[in-house]
Amino acid sequence: MSSIIQSLTSAGSGAEAPPSEAAIVRKVAWRIMPLIMVCYLFAFFDRINISFAKFALQSDLHLSDTAYGFGAGLFVVGYVLFEVPSNLMLYKVGARRWIARIMVSWGIATALMVFVQSEWQFYVLRFLIGAMEAGFAPGVLFYLTLWFPVAYRGRITSTLFLASAFAGLVGAPAAGLVLSHLDGALGMAGWHWLFLVGGLPCIVLGFLVFNVLKDRIQDAGWLTRAEQTLLSSRIADQNKHIGSHSLVGALKTPGFLTLGLVYFLIQVASYGLNFWAPHLIRTSGITNPTVIGLLTSVPYFCGAIAMIVVGKLSDVTGERRKFVAGLITLSAIGFFAAGFFDKSTALLVVALGVMGAGVIASIPAFWALPPRLVTGAGAAGGIALINTLGQLGGIVSPVMVGRIKDITGSTTPALYVIGALGLVCAAILMYGLPATLRRKEERAPILNGFATEAAR
């Protein structure tokens, strides 16, 4: 890799030194990643705020655990149904416009939760929020493939997903404070305020995306012509050797649907953590919403650290698949431990930390794999399809856990089931993927600058 960079940067003549690829990547990262990370933070907070609203929402709407799980899962139903069409539209009209539209529409839908007063209204709005948000995560991932060479995507994706960890790290305590101090303010329940605080900023962020981001490297006036040429040619040269450029071709690519199955199992674990961690802490003996919020931030803190470490190591070694398999195995251990120590708050929090390190860090590590198989329209629709298959886990997980709890009176059996599925997922990653994804990927030198400083 170093020889490639050297050959790229040795071209040119005259007194002015040619631009360095690593320097250009840092420049691009500092320009676009902060705004994208803030958007992703609110997207992830939108996913987890329902877990903090659970107890008050169930009480006000008289919902069983199964009904809560069904309503929580309806978000994913809307997301799944509109995911692929949304990302194909993104490819057609441009990422900047479509991501902005997504931000504004889902922000409005989330804020409308303040008017929910019945079970059916809860169901309808959860579905609508998912439909409006559909395409955001894969759209952003596709957008990053347009701006960053393959060798840097592990750390860039990990940097992006730090926002999800920050959403839990900061959002969990904030949610506890909102529920504790705003309940009854202006005649609204605390959980109504929670959705309002999560929705309104998304509308503002949508307008910022539209006015700040650019669709193409050639449109970036903050890059010199030489920088634009080097970066765009580098990415184009890498992408032309990758699989199919159409969605139908992507479906036929060996390993493509296997990745969808893997992501499904990862999301079963992810939604199990996101939707039920506050409940597990509460049933261990903690009742104060603020304390529950603080303890719920622990797995996200551990996940943030794991993301930083794995993002760097996977880029340097190129061993994406092995890192993902190891992280999923770690998460499985965390689920088994959480079930075993469900009545001991201290040990449960440790288990949640292990679970969070494995689940949260495995997601950005996983997303470095699909771009090796598909590009172009195949990447836009293909990444969305993999994400859609994965998000089905967001339907299965909350309903499954809620149903098991209603039947057995405990979430422990569901934790063991999710842990076992995690081990199956790790086995598929290690032995079930085609040779294309088992080969080592291109390695990169350590990218000092943005990714390092963002992790501080």
Side-chain angles (χ1 to χ4, degrees):
M1 178 63 189
S2 59
S3 61
I4 296 175
I5 293 181
Q6 184 177 0
S7 65
L8 285 169
T9 57
S10 61
S13 60
E16 184 178 352
S20 139
E21 182 185 58
I24 298 171
V25 170
R26 286 196 297 270
K27 189 174 182 179
V28 171
W30 277 112
R31 184 75 183 199
I32 70 176
M33 289 302 294
L35 176 57
I36 290 178
M37 288 179 67
V38 172
C39 291
Y40 203 87
L41 184 151
F42 276 93
F44 196 80
F45 182 71
D46 188 44
R47 302 285 184 91
I48 66 174
N49 58 11
I50 187 69
S51 66
F52 297 102
K54 178 180 183 293
F55 301 107
L57 185 149
Q58 281 187 275
S59 176
D60 289 351
L61 303 183
H62 310 291
L63 300 177
S64 65
D65 282 310
T66 301
Y68 162 77
F70 177 71
L74 277 175
F75 167 92
V76 187
V77 174
Y79 198 99
V80 165
L81 288 177
F82 292 93
E83 179 88 319
V84 173
S86 178
N87 247 46
L88 291 176
M89 185 62 69
L90 175 144
Y91 185 74
K92 181 178 294 186
V93 306
R96 173 179 60 91
R97 294 181 179 87
W98 199 248
I99 292 174
R101 192 283 304 164
I102 291 173
M103 294 293 300
V104 172
S105 60
W106 116 55
I108 293 172
T110 300
L112 288 175
M113 284 289 291
V114 301
F115 300 108
V116 169
Q117 296 180 344
S118 67
E119 182 176 337
W120 73 266
Q121 291 174 340
F122 169 58
Y123 291 156
V124 168
L125 271 178
R126 286 298 296 172
F127 175 85
L128 184 62
I129 293 169
M132 293 299 99
E133 189 179 330
F136 174 77
V140 168
L141 290 168
F142 170 69
Y143 183 73
L144 295 182
T145 68
L146 304 178
W147 288 87
F148 295 100
V150 170
Y152 299 97
R153 288 178 190 165
R155 277 158 291 173
I156 289 298
T157 306
S158 294
T159 301
L160 168 68
F161 279 87
L162 277 174
S164 65
F166 289 150
L169 189 61
V170 178
L177 290 172
V178 169
L179 292 171
S180 297
H181 299 288
L182 291 182
D183 188 32
L186 300 180
M188 293 193 301
W191 61 274
H192 284 160
W193 279 105
L194 192 59
F195 289 107
L196 190 65
V197 169
L200 293 182
C202 296
I203 301 173
V204 177
L205 288 169
F207 286 102
L208 287 176
V209 166
F210 184 81
N211 288 287
V212 173
L213 297 185
K214 302 296 181 182
D215 287 311
R216 304 182 308 158
I217 293 173
Q218 291 80 1
D219 296 331
W222 38 271
L223 290 176
T224 66
R225 183 60 60 86
E227 290 171 336
Q228 292 175 355
T229 301
L230 190 152
L231 187 61
S232 59
S233 62
R234 175 71 168 138
I235 294 173
D237 183 64
Q238 292 173 339
N239 287 347
K240 72 181 181 182
H241 300 297
I242 301 176
S244 172
H245 291 251
S246 70
L247 178 58
V248 174
L251 289 171
K252 298 177 181 178
T253 302
F256 183 84
L257 292 177
T258 304
L259 286 177
L261 173 60
V262 168
Y263 198 55
F264 167 83
L265 295 174
I266 291 175
Q267 287 299 313
V268 168
S270 177
Y271 277 90
L273 170 65
N274 296 337
F275 284 170
W276 294 95
H279 174 87
L280 291 172
I281 294 172
R282 184 183 179 94
T283 54
S284 73
I286 304 298
T287 57
N288 186 289
T290 303
V291 176
I292 291 174
L294 289 170
L295 294 179
T296 303
S297 68
V298 170
Y300 299 100
F301 176 76
C302 295
I305 295 174
M307 276 188 200
I308 296 167
V309 174
V310 172
K312 290 181 179 179
L313 292 179
S314 67
D315 270 353
V316 173
T317 65
E319 296 283 4
R320 319 281 192 192
R321 177 181 55 88
K322 292 181 181 179
F323 275 106
V324 179
L327 288 168
I328 294 171
T329 301
L330 184 67
S331 73
I333 294 171
F335 275 100
F336 284 122
F340 191 78
F341 299 116
D342 63 328
K343 300 304 179 184
S344 171
T345 301
L347 294 176
L348 173 64
V349 171
V350 172
L352 290 174
V354 173
M355 187 191 304
V359 172
I360 295 171
S362 70
I363 295 175
F366 169 86
W367 280 115
L369 296 176
R372 297 194 63 207
L373 297 179
V374 290
T375 59
I383 289 174
L385 182 57
I386 289 176
N387 194 56
T388 296
L389 294 173
Q391 293 305 319
L392 293 174
I395 300 173
V396 172
S397 186
V399 175
M400 177 188 73
V401 177
R403 185 59 177 166
I404 290 175
K405 184 178 184 299
D406 280 340
I407 293 174
T408 66
S410 172
T411 55
T412 298
L415 296 174
Y416 294 151
V417 170
I418 294 175
L421 290 176
L423 295 179
V424 171
C425 182
I428 293 173
L429 274 165
M430 291 301 294
Y431 304 108
L433 291 174
T436 303
L437 288 171
R438 290 203 302 268
R439 290 197 299 266
K440 285 188 178 182
E441 296 187 43
E442 185 175 14
R443 301 180 182 186
I446 294 297
L447 174 61
N448 296 316
F450 179 79
T452 303
E453 294 181 35
R456 292 176 180 172

